[in-house]
Amino acid sequence: MLARVTTFALDGVESRRVWVEADIRQGLPAFTVVGLADKAVREARERVRAALVNSGFEFPLKRITVNLAPAYLHKVGPSFDLPLAVAVLVAAGQLPPEAVEGCAVCGELSLAGEVRPIRGALAIAEGTRRHGIARLVLPRSRAREAALVSGVEVCGVATLADVADLLHGRAEAAPLPAPAAPADAPEHFEPDLFDVRGHNALIPAIETAAAGGHNLFMHGPPGTGKTMLARRIPSILPPLTAEEAIGVTRIHSIAGLHNGAGLADRRPFRAPHHTISPAGLVGGGTSPMPGEVTLAHHGVLFLDELSEFPRSSLEALRQPLEDGRVAIVRGQRLVVYPSQCMLVAAANPCPCGMGGEACRCTGADLSRHRRRLSGPLLDRIDVTLEVQRPPAAALRAQSAPPSAEVRTRVMEARERQARRFAGLGVTCNAQMTARMLTELTAATPSAIRVLYELHDREALSARGHARVLRVARTVADLAGSDVVGPEHVQEAAGHRTDTARLGEAA
């Protein structure tokens, strides 16, 4: 008898429909799985056999062939266990064929028949709705996450026996797990700009970077507050929109970082160690997984001690920062991950970290240090800040404004940008294309003249020229101006020109 069950395979941040076709015939007992399945899927044969027997079902001692179609799509992970088991039960006559019509099934099985959590429940639910499938059966612990997608009946199950009862109609779908009570959640203290002292002069530049989604680089001696400032940037970013929250949740679910409780409510902040590999930073591996730049999508990617990162890792960041996506090719497989994040980097001015007159480094040390800072990567950074040790009087003075106050101004600037880019698929000034830059910046002739003078004086690249204009547009948005004037270009240039000097030896 032939049975057919619908499930889904993860492909990047999307889900692709897969048909699990099971055929049982007379012959020597065998269990074969075909259809470009990885080792975890092939091992499902043993899990399915044990789960069926331990759940009280009869495992057919015949020749079983299971095909995962389409055959060109790579199938990865243990989420195919449950659809394999259901397909075998239908082919063996232990479940009626009509029970699996209009139903998608996903889940990992234990040897005892328990249904374990899977990755990417939100993406699978979106695929279920996209293909017009009415019902989705998946692990109970991921039911609340899948239920974020409207138009699909989500059925959470705990055991293989529950699946059989549900499909037979002997039991109703269990209610969704209740969310954790607010009192049970640990209290979250978000870092606030109000904690910063002695760096009030740097706050406008950081506000500009946050308002336009611009990449930011801070350099200065150790202990001056670079990391402290960087970790407070998420507190001044606007809250996630509904679409952004779904995108962040989908990515973190696929990466196994989401607990299945609901939508993400905070922008991601990722701070990988400086020993990270290129694959860890931008994604990759035999079965490609998202890297840190993708996990920071719609949030902040913080690279502390930038000069200590491997050159190969930093070079791998160039294309994701420019295009807003990562394209990973493995054999004949192409996987695309989004990477629209705000890069925040920090580094010491020299190997000894002191800089200036107190520097003890030789010329060779300084040259080697500058070579480790990729010139093309620095050219993709819009705002550069020099962070110096504040005097004692500044530490005793009034602290920086609270994050809530700065965040209000950032949100107002973002709202102006949202109105400007309505229907264009762009959310902030840093994402403007060359054509948008020409048509939507509204720079005055005097501002353009100042920009070209700066281009010749500072030897800006064409990319640097465009990025100064993007930052100037953000400065104008914060000032509530519809046009970009020369004063906005001059302020943007003041946030930018140190980058060229840092990268001149790279």
Side-chain angles (χ1 to χ4, degrees):
M1 182 176 178
L2 179 66
R4 197 183 206 194
V5 176
T6 298
T7 188
F8 287 86
L10 297 177
D11 184 26
V13 295
E14 303 294 336
S15 59
R16 308 295 181 196
R17 187 174 186 173
V18 173
W19 289 272
V20 180
E21 301 170 332
D23 179 71
I24 300 180
R25 296 183 180 274
Q26 295 293 337
L28 291 176
F31 193 172
T32 306
V33 178
V34 297
L36 201 58
D38 76 337
K39 187 175 182 180
V41 180
R42 294 195 300 271
E43 289 175 346
R45 296 174 300 182
E46 306 305 322
R47 292 192 295 271
V48 168
R49 181 185 287 110
L52 286 173
V53 173
N54 292 327
S55 299
F57 298 102
E58 180 184 351
F59 185 81
L61 297 177
K62 298 180 181 180
R63 183 173 184 82
I64 305 172
T65 303
V66 177
N67 177 45
L68 305 178
Y72 65 82
L73 182 64
H74 200 61
K75 290 85 178 178
V76 179
S79 64
F80 294 91
D81 291 4
L82 189 57
L84 276 169
V86 171
V88 169
L89 288 175
V90 174
Q94 300 180 61
L95 276 178
E98 59 273 13
V100 295
E101 294 180 0
C103 178
V105 183
C106 292
E108 177 185 350
L109 286 173
S110 72
L111 299 184
E114 299 165 343
V115 182
R116 289 175 170 167
I118 58 172
R119 296 180 176 184
L122 180 60
I124 291 170
E126 289 176 327
T128 303
R129 180 179 63 182
R130 186 170 61 249
H131 287 278
I133 300 173
R135 177 189 274 188
L136 173 61
V137 178
L138 80 172
R140 184 175 297 172
S141 60
R142 292 296 179 263
R144 181 163 291 280
E145 177 186 332
L148 295 170
V149 178
S150 60
V152 176
E153 180 189 356
V154 176
C155 303
V157 292
T159 66
L160 182 57
D162 292 344
V163 179
D165 290 340
L166 180 68
L167 296 179
H168 263 299
R170 294 193 296 260
E172 296 292 330
L176 295 177
D184 297 335
E187 191 170 0
H188 181 79
F189 294 97
E190 189 174 53
D192 196 287
L193 279 179
F194 189 74
D195 304 327
V196 178
R197 293 182 179 272
H199 291 306
N200 290 28
L202 303 179
I203 301 303
I206 293 175
E207 181 180 333
T208 299
H214 302 289
N215 298 328
L216 171 67
F217 178 54
M218 295 180 286
H219 60 97
T224 53
K226 302 185 296 294
T227 302
M228 184 179 188
L229 286 166
R231 292 191 177 277
R232 280 150 181 79
I233 289 177
S235 69
I236 64 174
L237 293 175
L240 288 167
T241 64
E243 183 179 356
E244 290 173 340
I246 290 174
V248 171
T249 304
R250 183 192 302 116
I251 291 170
H252 286 218
S253 175
I254 289 172
L257 301 178
H258 188 62
N259 60 9
L263 284 177
D265 58 355
R266 293 186 180 88
R267 291 189 179 271
F269 182 87
R270 305 293 299 182
H273 193 263
H274 62 259
T275 57
I276 191 170
S277 66
L281 195 56
V282 301
T286 306
S287 299
M289 290 294 291
E292 292 291 333
V293 70
T294 298
L295 296 177
H297 185 56
H298 292 316
V300 175
L301 175 64
F302 177 42
L303 302 184
D304 202 3
E305 304 297 344
L306 184 69
S307 59
E308 300 300 324
F309 279 76
R311 177 89 181 205
S312 57
S313 297
L314 296 182
E315 294 301 317
L317 270 180
R318 288 159 54 178
Q319 181 257 344
L321 291 179
E322 190 74 17
D323 298 342
R325 67 189 189 102
V326 180
I328 302 171
V329 180
R330 291 292 181 271
Q332 297 180 354
R333 183 184 182 195
L334 172 65
V335 178
V336 179
Y337 291 115
S339 61
Q340 289 183 346
C341 65
M342 178 180 174
L343 173 66
V344 178
N348 295 329
C350 60
C352 77
M354 305 307 293
E357 298 179 357
C359 180
R360 301 185 298 272
C361 301
T362 65
D365 292 335
L366 291 173
S367 178
R368 187 161 49 248
H369 177 76
R370 291 193 182 109
R371 281 198 300 272
R372 299 188 71 175
L373 296 175
S374 167
L377 178 64
L378 292 176
D379 200 38
R380 288 166 168 81
I381 293 177
D382 306 337
V383 179
T384 304
L385 296 179
E386 184 177 4
V387 185
Q388 294 293 343
R389 288 189 179 90
L395 292 176
R396 292 193 299 267
Q398 184 179 3
S399 60
S403 293
E405 178 183 323
V406 179
R407 189 184 202 181
T408 299
R409 295 194 293 267
V410 168
M411 291 175 62
E412 290 173 354
R414 286 287 184 107
E415 288 171 2
R416 296 177 66 89
Q417 295 168 50
R419 291 192 295 270
R420 184 184 306 125
F421 302 132
L424 298 178
V426 171
T427 59
C428 59
N429 289 332
Q431 300 170 10
M432 278 196 290
T433 64
R435 175 170 293 185
M436 293 178 189
L437 202 61
T438 302
E439 298 177 354
L440 302 178
T441 302
T444 63
S446 57
I448 296 297
R449 186 164 54 251
V450 170
L451 181 60
Y452 280 116
E453 292 173 357
L454 175 71
H455 180 90
D456 294 335
R457 185 172 66 251
E458 299 292 343
L460 290 178
S461 66
R463 182 187 294 113
H465 177 104
R467 290 188 176 276
V468 169
L469 190 54
R470 289 188 180 97
V471 176
R473 179 63 265 176
T474 302
V475 173
D477 286 335
L478 285 169
S481 175
D482 292 330
V483 299
V484 175
E487 67 279 9
H488 302 138
V489 174
Q490 290 169 351
E491 183 175 343
H495 297 331
R496 162 83 190 180
T497 49
D498 281 342
T499 304
R501 290 196 290 270
L502 282 168
E504 63 186 359

